[in-house]
Amino acid sequence: SAGADPGPICYGRGGTRLTVTDAQVWLGRIPPEHFLGGRMKIHREKIRQPLRRLARQLKLGLEAAAEGVLAVANANIVRALRVLSLERGYDPRDFLLLPFGGAGGLHAADLAEELGMGRILLPPHPGLLSALGMAFADYRKDYVRTLLWPASAAGFGRLQRQLADLKRQAERQARDEGIAAASQKIRASLDLRYRGQSHELSVPFGPRWKSAFESEHLRRFGYRHRRRPLEVVNLRLELSAREARPPVDFSAASAASRPAAEFNRLHWNGRWIEAPVHRRQGLAAGFSAAGPALLVEPSATAFLKPGWKMTVAAQGHLLFENKTVRRPRG
C-alpha cells in the first residue's frame, strides 16, 4: 500500500510506485467518476507508463501485467485467510466470506473461489467498517497476569485468588471511567501449554481447566500428550459493558429499484466487456443482479464476477452467491 499520501499513482498526488489500486483502475474495476462518490479525481492515464515498464519486464501486455498484480495480491490474502481458518481447524467452505474496506469487494469473489466458498456477505458501508466498529463497540478492557506456573503448583484456589486481584483492579478502573457496575460482565481465561511448547492455547477459567485444554489441543492439533506436564502461562480477564449506540439505520430502501442506467468497460478473463454499474444507495431490499456488474458507493467498490448473483438483504447487506463454487468436503 502507498497509503493516502502520496497514495497510488492514480491519485495524482506524487505516487510513483504501481499499486493494487492502480491495477484495479486500469482494468476498469473502479470507475473513476464514482471514486469517493465522485468527489475525488482519479487519473487513469498516469498509470500507463509505470504499468508499461512493469509489462516490459514481465514480457506481457498492459492488461495482463495489471491482472498479474491482482493475482499476487489475491495469493497473499488467500494465504492469510488459510492461516485464520484451516490452520485453526476451520474449513472455510463451512462459512461465508465477509470482505470490508474500500477494495474488499473487488477481491472477494476471487478469494472465495480459491477457498471453495460459495457465499459472500458485503456489509453496509464496507469502507467505513473499522470506524463504525469504534463508534458501535462496547466498552472492553483486557488484563493479563503472567504466571508461568507448573500445573502441580496451580491449584484452583490459588488461581482464584489471582483472579480476584485482577477483578478488583478491573472494576476499580471501570468505575473511574463511569461504567455502571450493573452493566459489567467479567470473563476469565487461562493460557496453557505443554512444557517445552513455544505456543499457548486459551481456555475458559474454571475448575476443569486441565481437561478443557487437552480437549482443545486435540481438536486443534489432532493429538494430546498423556504424560507431558502442563504449564499455566497467563491468567486473563476481560471486563466488558454494553454502551449506548448511535441511532443509525442501515436497512435497505423499500422502494422498487431501477435497473442500472450506466455501464462501464472493464477487463475480465482476457477481454474487455461492458458491465452495468449499480449505485448501492438506490438498491431496494430484494433487488438482485447477475455478474458481471460493479456496485459503487462513496466508501467502496465491489465487483460481481460473471457466474455470481447478488441479492440485497433487508438489513442492507449484499449477499453474493455462486452455487457452482462450493466443493464437497473431503
Side-chain angles (χ1 to χ4, degrees), residues 24 29-30 70 74 77 97-112 120-123 125-127 280 293-297 299-305 308 310 318 320:
Q24 296 280 18
R29 313 287 179 84
I30 301 177
L70 299 186
N74 288 337
I77 301 171
L97 184 65
L98 195 153
F100 65 96
L106 290 168
H107 297 265
D110 287 332
L111 305 177
I120 299 167
L121 190 70
L122 193 66
H125 307 293
R280 183 171 180 177
L294 293 171
L295 295 112
V296 296
E297 56 186 302
S299 73
T301 307
F303 177 35
L304 186 67
K305 287 182 63 176
W308 287 79
M310 179 273 295
L318 301 182
F320 292 8

Side-chain angles (χ1 to χ4, degrees), residues 52-65:
R52 180 170 289 162
R53 286 193 293 270
L54 175 65
R56 285 173 178 168
Q57 293 174 9
L58 300 175
K59 298 180 180 180
L60 296 171
L62 297 183
E63 285 71 36

Side-chain angles (χ1 to χ4, degrees), residues 175-194:
R175 185 173 60 250
D176 292 343
E177 295 186 35
I179 305 300
S183 66
Q184 298 175 14
K185 292 183 179 180
I186 298 288
R187 185 170 65 178
S189 61
L190 293 168
D191 293 343
L192 309 168
R193 67 186 179 193
Y194 289 115

Side-chain angles (χ1 to χ4, degrees), residues 235-311:
L235 170 64
R236 296 183 181 274
L237 182 143
E238 173 195 303
L239 188 150
S240 62
R242 176 59 61 90
E243 293 288 272
R245 288 176 165 80
V248 178
D249 184 6
F250 295 126
S251 300
S254 57
S257 302
R258 294 182 179 181
E262 57 182 301
F263 289 80
N264 194 71
R265 187 167 174 263
L266 62 83
H267 196 270
W268 178 79
N269 201 25
R271 61 191 180 94
W272 289 95
I273 59 176
E274 293 289 325
V277 179
H278 299 284
R279 298 174 184 260
R280 183 171 180 177
Q281 299 93 318
L283 301 181
F287 175 82
S288 63
L294 293 171
L295 295 112
V296 296
E297 56 186 302
S299 73
T301 307
F303 177 35
L304 186 67
K305 287 182 63 176
W308 287 79
K309 180 182 177 181
M310 179 273 295
T311 304

Side-chain angles (χ1 to χ4, degrees), residues 94-302:
D94 295 335
F95 301 87
L96 53 74
L97 184 65
L98 195 153
F100 65 96
L106 290 168
H107 297 265
D110 287 332
L111 305 177
E113 290 174 358
E114 183 68 25
L115 295 167
M117 304 172 72
R119 295 188 302 160
I120 299 167
L121 190 70
L122 193 66
H125 307 293
L128 305 177
L129 191 68
S130 296
L132 288 170
M134 292 292 292
F136 282 79
D138 293 332
Y139 174 91
R140 172 174 163 174
K141 288 291 179 69
D142 293 285
Y143 301 83
V144 58
R145 178 165 295 178
T146 300
L147 301 176
L148 293 176
W149 291 350
S152 57
F156 189 60
R158 189 182 183 193
L159 289 171
Q160 284 182 307
R161 289 190 290 274
Q162 293 290 322
L163 178 62
D165 188 40
L166 271 186
K167 184 179 178 182
R168 284 191 292 270
Q169 177 185 346
E171 290 175 337
R172 181 171 59 251
Q173 185 169 359
R175 185 173 60 250
D176 292 343
E177 295 186 35
I179 305 300
S183 66
Q184 298 175 14
K185 292 183 179 180
I186 298 288
R187 185 170 65 178
S189 61
L190 293 168
D191 293 343
L192 309 168
R193 67 186 179 193
Y194 289 115
R195 182 180 298 171
Q197 284 184 328
S198 59
H199 58 273
E200 301 84 40
L201 288 178
S202 182
V203 300
F205 184 89
R208 297 180 58 83
W209 56 270
K210 295 180 184 178
S211 60
F213 169 81
E214 291 179 346
S215 297
E216 178 63 11
H217 199 280
L218 178 64
R219 187 195 71 81
R220 184 79 64 87
F221 302 111
Y223 71 96
R224 56 187 173 190
H225 291 289
R226 293 291 188 182
R227 298 181 181 178
R228 184 174 293 185
L230 297 182
E231 289 181 331
V232 180
V233 180
N234 299 312
L235 170 64
R236 296 183 181 274
L237 182 143
E238 173 195 303
L239 188 150
S240 62
R242 176 59 61 90
E243 293 288 272
R245 288 176 165 80
V248 178
D249 184 6
F250 295 126
S251 300
S254 57
S257 302
R258 294 182 179 181
E262 57 182 301
F263 289 80
N264 194 71
R265 187 167 174 263
L266 62 83
H267 196 270
W268 178 79
N269 201 25
R271 61 191 180 94
W272 289 95
I273 59 176
E274 293 289 325
V277 179
H278 299 284
R279 298 174 184 260
R280 183 171 180 177
Q281 299 93 318
L283 301 181
F287 175 82
S288 63
L294 293 171
L295 295 112
V296 296
E297 56 186 302
S299 73
T301 307

Side-chain angles (χ1 to χ4, degrees), residues 81-93 115 220:
L81 288 171
R82 285 182 171 141
V83 169
L84 295 171
S85 57
L86 292 170
E87 294 187 17
R88 297 187 180 186
Y90 299 103
D91 190 332
R93 294 173 295 181
L115 295 167
R220 184 79 64 87

